Amino acid sequence: MPIFDYSNEESIGSVYSVDTGTVLVSVSNLDALRKLQVNHLIVLRSSRAGQHLIGLINKIMRKALVGVSENEDGEVQDDRVMVENIVRISLIGTLLDAVGTDQNVFRRTLETVPEIDAPCFVLSGEKLTGFMRAISTQIIEGQEPLSLGKYTLDEEANAWIDGNRFFQRHAVVVGSTGSGKSWTVARILEQVAGLPNASALLFDIHGEYAPLIGDGISHLRVAGPGDLDGARTLDDGVIFLPYWLLTYEEMLAMLLDRSDQNAPNQAMIFNREVLNSKRTYLESAGKDEILANFTIDSPVPYALGDVVDRLQELDVEMVAGAKTEKQGPFHGKLTRFVQRLQSKICDRRLGFLFSAGDDAMRYEWLEELATVLLGSTTVRKKGGVKIIDFSEVPSDILPLIIGLVARLVFSVQQWTEKEQRHPVALLCDEAHLYIPEMHETGVLEAGLRSFERIAKEGRKYGVGLTVISQRPAEVNRTVLSQCNNFVAMRLTNAEDQAVIRRLLPDTLGGFTDLLPILDIGEALVVGDAAMLPSRIRIDEPNNRPSSATVAFWDRWAAEAIENGIPAAVEALRKQRTRD
Ligand SMILES: Nc1ncnc2c1ncn2[C@@H]1O[C@H](COP(=O)(O)OP(=O)(O)OP(=O)(O)O)[C@@H](O)[C@H]1O
Ligand SMILES: [Mg+2]
C-alpha cells in the first residue's frame, strides 16, 4: 500500500515558486500554518504519478504586501495590506510508491520537480511513522543494522544508518565538549564489535574508553615508562613502536633543529649512517632480496647505538692535512645533533621508541605488530575492535606517533593483495590534536601526511576514517572535506558551526541552525549513510566511556573525601598511574 494517499483537501497550500532544490509554498490555511515547524517534513505532489517529493521546512515567513490601486482620476486611493504566508522548503528526496515489486522506496535523488500550484502536505502522524518505517527497512535490508538511536521527529522509529557507507566514505563526529561524542563513538563501536569479523582501531588519547569491554573489543596501550622492564609485550596488549619504524622525515622531525646552521650536514650524515646501519643489518640477516631494493624509509631494524657512535666519531675526527692533522669535514658540526639524539634515547617517556627491547628489534616483529593492529576478530582470535590508549605518550610527539600508527596501517593495507584485503576503520578521537589545520613543519606535519593520504585514498584500499573532534575549526580542512558523513552534536562556537555549515550541502543550510540548541546526546546526522538528514537522539551505549562530567557543586557539597594529592604527585614523578 502506498503511504502517501493524500487527498486534495488535506493540502495546506500550493507551490508558488520552484528553484533547483528549493521550493516556496504559499499557505492559505492559517491553522495549518501555525502547526508547521522548521525542520519538519513536507510532501509535495510530483509531476509524475506515483512519486512524491520530500522536503524539509527551512523557513516560515509571513509577508505583508502593501497593495496600491488608483481610482478613475489616477489618484492613489487605497492602501490595502495583504498578508502572504510563505514556507521555504529544501527538497531532499523522492518517495516512489513502487519500484518493481518493492513498495514505498525512498531515493535521495530528485528526478522531477513539483509544478507550480502543486499541492503540499504535512508529513505527520501515521504517515510519518509509515515513512520512517519504510526508510528503516530499506536501510537494513540485507545488512546487519547499525543503529544510532531514535529520530526526534518520531520517537517510535529506530534510526538506522548504512554501515557500509558510514565507514566507506569517512565520517565526522563533532560537538562541543560534553555534548556526547565519546558516548556516540562507544555506541557505534559496540555494534562494530558485535560483527564476527570486525576490524577497527580507536585512538584513545585520554584512556577514557577503558570501560568498553566485550567479546569483540580488545585493549592496547602504547608502553609508558613503567613498561620498560620488558615484562609486558604485544601479547599483553602493550605496544612498543621502535625507532626503526620511523621514516627518515619522521626521525628528523623529532631530532633536527632546523634553525641550526649545521642542520643540512646533520641530516645528510644521519641519512648516510642509518642507511649503512640498515644495510649491515640486512647483510648479517641474509636478506638479499631486500638489500637490493631497500631505502632509508624501509622498516628494517638497525642499531641506533652504532649510528650514534659513528656520528660521535665524525664529530671529533681529525684527518691528515698538508703538514699536520686538521679537523675532519664534520668536526664539531654534529655535536648538538648527537646531544639531542642521546637525550631522546635516554628519555624514559620515549622508551616505547628507543628502549623497546630485544623482542621488538626482531625482523619478524613488525609482522606481529601489524597483525595486532590490522587483524580482525577471527585473525587475531581476540577482539577486532582495538582501542589503543595513547595516554602515556608525551603530547609534543603525539601527532607523530599516531601518524606513524595510521601510516603503518595504511601501508600494510596498500601492500595486501586485493582479494585478501580486509577493511579496517580508524576512529580518531580528539582529532584536532593530531590532524590539525595549521601546517607546521616538524612533528605535526609528519603525522598529518598519513591522515591526508588516508582521507584521499583510503576508500580504495578499505581504510575508513572517522574524525572525532570538539573543534572542527582546528581540524585539517583537506581531511574534513573528504568526509561524507556528519554526526554533528551540540556545537556552540560560531567558528566551528561555520565549518560544519560549509561542509554540508547548501540546501541544508538552515538545518545547521539547530546545532547550538541540540540536547546532550542529540545529533544531526547528514550524509551518505543516512537516508534523510535527521535529528537523532543517540541511545546510550551499554558500557560508558569514563568521561563523565564532574559535578563541581555536588562534590563540593559532599563531606569527607580522600586526599589523592600525594599519590598524584608520586604518579607525576613516575609518569604512570598503574603499578
Ligand atoms: N546519548 C546520551 N544520552 C544521555 N547522556 C549522554 C549521552 N551522551 C553523552 N551523555 C552525557 O554527556 C556526558 C559527556 O559525554 P561525552 O563524554 O560523550 O562528551 P564528549 O563530546 O566526548 O566530550 P569531550 O569533547 O570533552 O570529549 C556523559 O558523561 C553523559 O553524562
Ligand atoms: Mg570525548
Side-chain angles (χ1 to χ4, degrees), residues 492-539:
T492 43
N493 180 297
E495 212 184 328
D496 293 324
Q497 290 169 7
V499 169
I500 298 304
R501 192 168 295 136
R502 274 199 297 276
L503 290 169
L504 295 182
D506 279 348
T507 50
L508 289 177
F511 209 46
T512 49
D513 293 343
L514 286 172
L515 286 173
I517 57 168
L518 292 171
D519 195 4
I520 288 173
E522 235 189 346
L524 296 182
V525 181
V526 180
D528 250 21
M531 279 275 178
L532 286 181
S534 23
R535 182 170 172 178
I536 294 174
R537 180 166 290 284
I538 312 279
D539 279 345

Side-chain angles (χ1 to χ4, degrees), residues 108 135-136 138-141 143-149 151 158-167 171 173 184 187-188 191 485-487 524-534 536 538:
R108 293 204 311 185
I135 285 186
S136 299
Q138 207 174 320
I139 289 184
I140 60 177
E141 213 159 90
Q143 227 190 63
E144 282 292 328
L146 170 54
S147 141
L148 287 183
Y151 291 106
N158 224 324
W160 309 106
I161 58 172
D162 185 322
N164 279 328
R165 293 190 180 169
F166 189 75
F167 291 108
V173 180
T184 304
R187 165 97 190 139
I188 294 173
Q191 296 175 71
N485 292 293
F486 301 89
V487 179
L524 296 182
V525 181
V526 180
D528 250 21
M531 279 275 178
L532 286 181
S534 23
I536 294 174
I538 312 279

Side-chain angles (χ1 to χ4, degrees), residues 153-218:
L153 260 186
D154 180 358
E155 304 251 326
E156 300 290 301
N158 224 324
W160 309 106
I161 58 172
D162 185 322
N164 279 328
R165 293 190 180 169
F166 189 75
F167 291 108
Q168 266 164 357
R169 312 291 309 272
H170 310 316
V172 188
V173 180
V174 290
S176 306
T177 178
S179 58
K181 297 180 299 296
S182 297
W183 280 37
T184 304
V185 170
R187 165 97 190 139
I188 294 173
L189 276 186
E190 269 173 11
Q191 296 175 71
V192 174
L195 304 174
N197 248 322
S199 184
L201 285 170
L202 169 67
F203 302 138
D204 181 4
I205 312 305
H206 304 300
E208 59 180 313
Y209 291 92
L212 263 68
I213 44 169
D215 277 349
I217 298 178
S218 51

